[in-house]
Amino acid sequence: MPQTPAFAAMLSTSGYNRNLYQTKEDSYGGLYYHDNSLVSGSLEALIQHLVPSVDYYPDRTYIFTFLLSSRLFIHPSELMAKVCQLCVEQQRLNEPGTDKGRLRKIAPKILQLLTEWTETFPYDFRDEKMMQSLKELMHKIASGDEIYRKTVQQMTQSLIRKLTTLSQYEEVLVKINATVTDRLTVLKTKPQSIQRDIVTICNDPYTLAQQLTHIELERLSYIGPEEFVQAFVHKDPLDNDKSCFSDHKKTSNLEAYVAWFNRLSYLVATEICMPVKKKHRARVIEYFIDVARECFNIGNFNSLMAIISGMNMSPVSRLKKTWAKVKTAKFDILEHQMDPSSNFYNYRTALRGATQRSLTAHSSREKIVIPFFSLLIKDIYFLNERCANRLPTGHVNFEKFWELAKQVSEFMTWKQVECPFEKDSKILQYLLTAPVFSEDALYLASYESEGPENQIEKDRWKSLRSSLLSRI
């Protein structure tokens, strides 16, 4: 099997350097290089560049980058069909009595390409056309030799396991969402004295930070790299048909992760606004400051930012009497670390530090890097908007896609880390399903805790009481 360096390391360079690999003669045409790096090409030439031959195999960085970005121009099932067609035609796999010697040279390379595709982009194969093309090509290869049949069987089993695990995860998400109810409803059906709160469930902020990290890493692990691209797919100006993903946009795991961030922010705000006594509210704020600080130490920047966002929501920040009882020095430091000024300079510096620690880590804990996810999406979005997909010549702008692949491949490294902390199912269940206030209910609870300070707040309080309480 062809051996290539890990793509995360390779993509730290400016792009794929063709001198690093055995490359085919530039006989197909349509590919353009600058300083030995591929910078552009026609879609057809790029597809051809993906297809192995007896004496050529595409480097791993190119495979990842093209499979990631090609969906901006062509649906994965169409790409798979074209790749299969080229493999069959160029290696004459349809001809009776295919040369066994030739098959032995090309089969491992085709199987390697299919393995990389199914392992890195398994969700593409939820499409029936994809699976059909894959099965047809694998059948042609497997019929030639027993050893290839075993490889094909292993690849198929691995792919089915991944897709089954994904389906089970999606079912769990549906069940979790079905159990979440509005906190205000619970308030009216259960006396305050028997309601649970986060400090009762877990009084140790370090343990809570670890359980948050479990949720973060699990949800990260299910996001496919292609979801970052599919979130921003537009109609290809050279495609007369509708956008290749207009009916197939698959970003559900990415959206579920964004929804988790929002839920955690609202959970934090709810827990702070719930207690009747301000000393209890102050204690909850200090508790979450300690949780946030431990998230920072772990490298869990997403939970850290969600907690800070929850504490900065207006219904919480307006509780001046409560905040007066809080020692805010630690919170000020955390806010400084996540300060959005200068394009989140402080956070990006901390992220680089965590990434460097991860690269030289001796333990699983030191490997953890969980980025502030909304900012990662924003960075990828602006990269997509800033650079055209095609050049004025009509060629695919591959320089853009090297940069896109570099960002996404770093994420791929982060999401593969195993969480080293012991799970606590009771705490996890609470974090995922405990009812939270809506924004209006948060304001109502805030006004009940510390009364309105001006006429605008008084009017809003009166309006909220009549509208929210009438629903129950």
Side-chain angles (χ1 to χ4, degrees):
M1 290 289 181
Q3 297 298 307
T4 57
F7 58 67
M10 288 300 301
L11 284 166
S12 64
T13 62
S14 59
Y16 154 48
N17 185 321
R18 59 178 173 176
N19 288 341
L20 293 172
Y21 299 88
Q22 177 188 11
T23 59
K24 65 176 78 174
E25 291 298 316
D26 196 13
S27 56
Y28 190 80
L31 294 180
Y32 288 85
Y33 293 80
H34 179 68
D35 291 338
N36 288 320
S37 290
L38 178 62
V39 294
S40 70
S42 67
L43 184 60
E44 292 72 22
L46 292 167
I47 293 172
Q48 178 64 53
H49 201 53
L50 183 70
V51 178
S53 66
V54 170
D55 55 3
Y56 165 76
Y57 187 79
D59 79 286
R60 197 179 179 196
T61 60
Y62 178 77
I63 294 171
F64 177 74
T65 303
F66 185 66
L67 291 180
L68 177 70
S69 58
S70 61
R71 61 201 69 233
L72 289 165
F73 310 98
I74 182 172
H75 192 284
S77 64
E78 293 177 53
L79 177 61
M80 173 61 84
K82 283 181 182 287
V83 168
C84 291
Q85 181 185 358
L86 287 168
C87 285
V88 169
E89 288 177 356
Q90 292 172 12
Q91 304 307 321
R92 302 193 290 278
L93 298 180
N94 265 344
E95 294 180 10
T98 302
D99 181 354
K100 287 283 182 75
R102 186 179 182 83
L103 183 62
R104 285 195 187 99
K105 289 180 180 177
I106 188 60
K109 293 181 178 180
I110 295 175
L111 287 173
Q112 175 72 5
L113 176 64
L114 296 177
T115 299
E116 294 206 34
W117 197 334
T118 56
E119 286 183 353
T120 311
F121 299 91
Y123 303 167
D124 284 351
F125 294 87
R126 298 182 103 178
D127 183 286
E128 288 182 18
K129 291 180 182 177
M130 284 285 289
M131 283 300 283
Q132 188 60 36
S133 295
L134 178 67
K135 287 175 182 176
E136 288 173 2
L137 182 56
M138 289 196 300
H139 176 72
K140 285 182 171 62
I141 294 171
S143 60
D145 200 311
E146 176 63 27
I147 191 170
Y148 303 141
R149 278 196 284 275
K150 288 182 180 177
T151 304
V152 164
Q153 188 178 31
Q154 290 170 353
M155 185 198 308
T156 305
Q157 288 173 346
S158 176
L159 177 59
I160 290 171
R161 276 197 302 271
K162 286 187 176 183
L163 295 180
T164 302
T165 304
L166 173 64
S167 296
Q168 291 169 344
Y169 168 71
E170 290 174 341
E171 288 171 11
V172 168
L173 284 185
V174 169
K175 287 179 182 176
I176 287 173
N177 292 335
T179 60
V180 175
T181 53
D182 181 73
R183 187 66 171 249
L184 200 60
T185 306
V186 177
L187 268 177
K188 293 299 174 182
T189 55
K190 285 186 178 181
Q192 180 85 18
S193 58
I194 66 168
Q195 284 180 47
R196 298 183 304 166
D197 59 62
I198 191 68
V199 180
T200 305
I201 297 296
C202 175
N203 63 6
D204 178 18
Y206 298 98
T207 300
L208 191 75
Q210 293 173 0
Q211 299 311 302
L212 287 172
T213 303
H214 263 293
I215 296 172
E216 298 281 356
L217 286 173
E218 182 187 48
R219 299 216 168 184
L220 270 186
S221 71
Y222 285 101
I223 298 173
E226 71 283 354
E227 294 190 47
F228 291 101
V229 175
Q230 288 162 193
F232 308 128
V233 167
H234 300 301
K235 179 178 169 59
D236 183 354
L238 297 189
D239 185 1
N240 293 324
D241 197 0
K242 57 188 175 180
S243 170
C244 60
F245 265 86
S246 58
D247 297 322
H248 304 277
K249 188 182 273 192
K250 299 292 183 183
T251 56
S252 57
N253 300 303
L254 187 149
E255 290 167 9
Y257 192 49
V258 172
W260 154 249
F261 178 95
N262 294 334
R263 170 180 166 74
L264 180 54
S265 293
Y266 272 86
L267 179 63
V268 168
T270 299
E271 295 288 338
I272 293 170
C273 290
M274 274 286 296
V276 175
K277 295 182 178 179
K278 63 174 174 282
K279 69 176 181 179
H280 291 161
R281 292 194 297 274
R283 196 178 303 153
V284 174
I285 290 174
E286 290 180 341
Y287 171 84
F288 275 119
I289 291 171
D290 287 337
V291 174
R293 189 170 65 160
E294 182 59 15
C295 285
F296 180 85
N297 292 336
I298 290 171
N300 180 358
F301 298 105
N302 202 55
S303 288
L304 164 62
M305 194 58 170
I307 293 169
I308 291 175
S309 297
M311 292 203 284
N312 281 332
M313 290 176 74
S314 295
V316 177
S317 62
R318 67 169 296 279
L319 298 172
K320 293 174 184 175
K321 294 176 183 175
T322 302
W323 281 97
K325 288 187 167 289
V326 175
K327 297 171 185 175
T328 59
K330 289 185 285 187
F331 183 63
D332 293 340
I333 293 170
L334 292 172
E335 278 204 304
H336 176 71
Q337 290 289 350
M338 304 305 283
D339 183 358
S341 63
S342 301
N343 193 21
F344 286 90
Y345 176 81
N346 293 340
Y347 158 70
R348 293 182 191 278
T349 302
L351 181 65
R352 281 196 299 274
T355 302
Q356 194 58 41
R357 179 186 69 182
S358 176
L359 293 173
T360 58
H362 298 293
S363 67
S364 296
R365 176 173 175 139
E366 291 175 327
K367 289 180 182 177
I368 296 171
V369 182
I370 303 172
F372 172 28
F373 196 65
S374 296
L375 188 60
L376 175 63
I377 294 174
K378 184 179 173 184
D379 287 345
I380 293 173
Y381 172 79
F382 281 120
L383 169 63
N384 186 59
E385 292 297 304
R386 186 174 72 240
C387 306
N389 291 336
R390 288 190 187 267
L391 301 176
T393 58
H395 278 190
V396 172
N397 179 6
F398 218 74
E399 277 189 298
K400 167 181 176 175
F401 298 124
W402 286 129
E403 186 60 36
L404 177 65
K406 194 189 330 185
Q407 291 195 22
V408 176
S409 67
E410 193 169 39
F411 163 81
M412 294 286 287
T413 302
W414 295 336
K415 80 167 196 159
Q416 289 164 4
V417 174
E418 293 283 332
C419 190
F421 307 120
E422 189 176 338
K423 274 189 176 182
D424 188 312
S425 56
K426 185 175 69 171
I427 298 172
L428 291 171
Q429 179 76 6
Y430 186 87
L431 288 169
L432 291 168
T433 64
V436 298
F437 281 147
S438 65
E439 186 176 7
D440 283 348
L442 277 174
Y443 271 108
L444 182 61
S446 180
Y447 292 143
E448 297 282 354
S449 297
E450 294 186 22
E453 294 186 347
N454 53 52
Q455 193 58 46
I456 295 174
E457 288 192 343
K458 287 178 182 176
D459 292 342
R460 182 167 192 181
W461 185 27
K462 190 183 298 182
S463 173
L464 286 172
R465 291 187 74 180
S466 58
S467 64
L468 286 175
L469 299 181
S470 64
R471 296 180 207 165
I472 301 169

